[in-house]
Amino acid sequence: MGKLQTLTLGRMASITSAVARRPGTAERRRPHGTTPRQWTVRVVLPLALALWLASLRHVELGGMRDYGLLQVLPVLFWVAPVLLAVGFCLALTDRRTRNGWLAGYVLGLIAVIHATPTLLYPTLRYSWAWKHVAVVDAVIRHDGEVPNAQKLDIYNQWPGFFDLNALFLQATGLDSALGYAAWTPPVFNAVLLAPLLLLFRAVTRDRRLVWGGAWIYYSCSWVGQDYFAPQAFAFLLFVTVIALTMGQLPNSTLYDTDSGGLVGRWRAGRFALIVLLEAVIVSSHPLTPLMLISALVALSLPRRNRRVVLPVLAGAVVLAAAWGATVARPYLSENLNDFLGALLRPDTNVTSGLAALGSAAPGHVVVSWVDRGLSAGVFLLAAVAFLVRPWVRRTGLPLLVLAPLPTLVANSYGGEMIFRAYLFALPAAALLISALLFQWGRRPRLRMLVAYPLLLALLAGLFFGYYGKEAANHFTEGEVAAGQFVAATAPPGSTVVSLTSAVPGLYLRYDTNPRVQLDEQEIDDRRRLVEDPVKGLEPFLRRTTAERPAYIILSRAQAAELYLRGVLPADTVRRTDTALSKTWGYVPVYRDKDAVVYRYQHDRSGGSR
């Protein structure tokens, strides 16, 4: 009896010892103990954010050139993302680190990347964001559809984003979306984190892979489609729809708990939510519904997924077809030949662009190659993960990575289709890379030491792509004042002329004042402008009168964009300013060190003054 009791106690002691060694048990046995690693994780995050904010106090934005913000941010700024990466890796390798700290590091990375321009710039960043603010203002002025929209009539046919913002402004009493548009990039990326985590948790419950995938996504999302725009809004909804659909698949880790174990069936509420999101996507952006349909078609290829995916796919197809046959029919009919031509020449969709009359800046060429290298690296790492992590082949991740590629044959989308395809493939690719880097058994610290340099390399590529073009994306207060001056003083019907789109406020009255953007004209027209700026402008100013003059805006950001891209020679802004200042009939009505506005008009006798 005594021997039996001794044996029993020995076995109980062995079991107790084994339980104590299980992952996640130590923190329960020592609730008040804090290891040095945990202290480091808790100290590094606030320290990195404090250094980041301190580094922004004295930044000379006027020094931006080939590499944008990269060449004006102080060394102290770059310490912050390096520390964040160190702290995140330490947190990821410690099972006792709570999810709140992992979330803090990812949100800290978002803040450093996306809030920096907002905090540094005195005005709204990026000309297209200004354009979309102008569209919202016009929708409010006209209480809906904007007449005389010309090229911007596409926004009348996909108005969801603009109508929602107009409704928000009217409900809150705000004057314009300009008051909050500058904060769209950091807020958008922070909100996007929720559907990204939902998508990743539908594939794996390993929190290292989930949070690692989130970190990698934000480390590689260089395309910059996160500003105040319908595509950013639609992309957020796209990721949400895919996450909800993935969570309903039979092999989803969320399936048993969230769908009640109903194989191939949708709860009415969840399916209604998905249809609503699809309707908003279809009404807000022309490209995202195609990406959504392509992704759903890919997910429906495995037979086991079809009972879940096909209803969602049918909803997207029906809504997109109905919208295209009704509201968007004018635009689709007008551009049908271009769509068919693009299908017959898919190579032009990848390489399309304007012929350049100047040379791109050396630094801009470097930035472009880094962008392409980062994109290729992401797809390469995802492919390696597919080969060395067999379990990912049973998920929908590889299908989602490949799903955007067929859209490359559909349309060039202004030469940006290849970058959009990368963006829509990135969420799935990020989780594949996370599985490659962060799925380990033994020696996690050693494996993290190997992964850490790669994480820094991805971040470096991100900063090149995201900050490298900021010389043309940033606007001074003088440039903003020039655009607002034209919008406030130009009579209805006045022609507004610019060399590029890099003019804040260029579209503030697009429904009453037609615009001419010279870098988008035919090659012969641009050659004439380069040879003689005055003669090059004449064909676009013939319809001006005393009542309907023309305004020519020249500015620092336009000169920076021409220098970077080389569509026109880098000195075109300076040469045009010099030529107009010496030509009778062109009157400077606004001048600042960063912008000048000329007014030109024909008198009633047919001359000019």
Side-chain angles (χ1 to χ4, degrees), residues 31-52:
H32 303 295
T34 303
T35 65
R37 188 188 304 184
Q38 289 178 302
W39 276 114
T40 304
V41 168
R42 296 177 184 182
V43 170
V44 166
L45 177 59
L47 176 62
L49 296 179
L51 294 177
W52 163 60

Side-chain angles (χ1 to χ4, degrees), residues 594-608:
D594 294 319
V596 59
V597 178
Y598 287 93
R599 176 185 169 110
Y600 174 88
Q601 67 188 49
H602 284 287
D603 61 26
R604 293 184 179 179
S605 63
S608 61

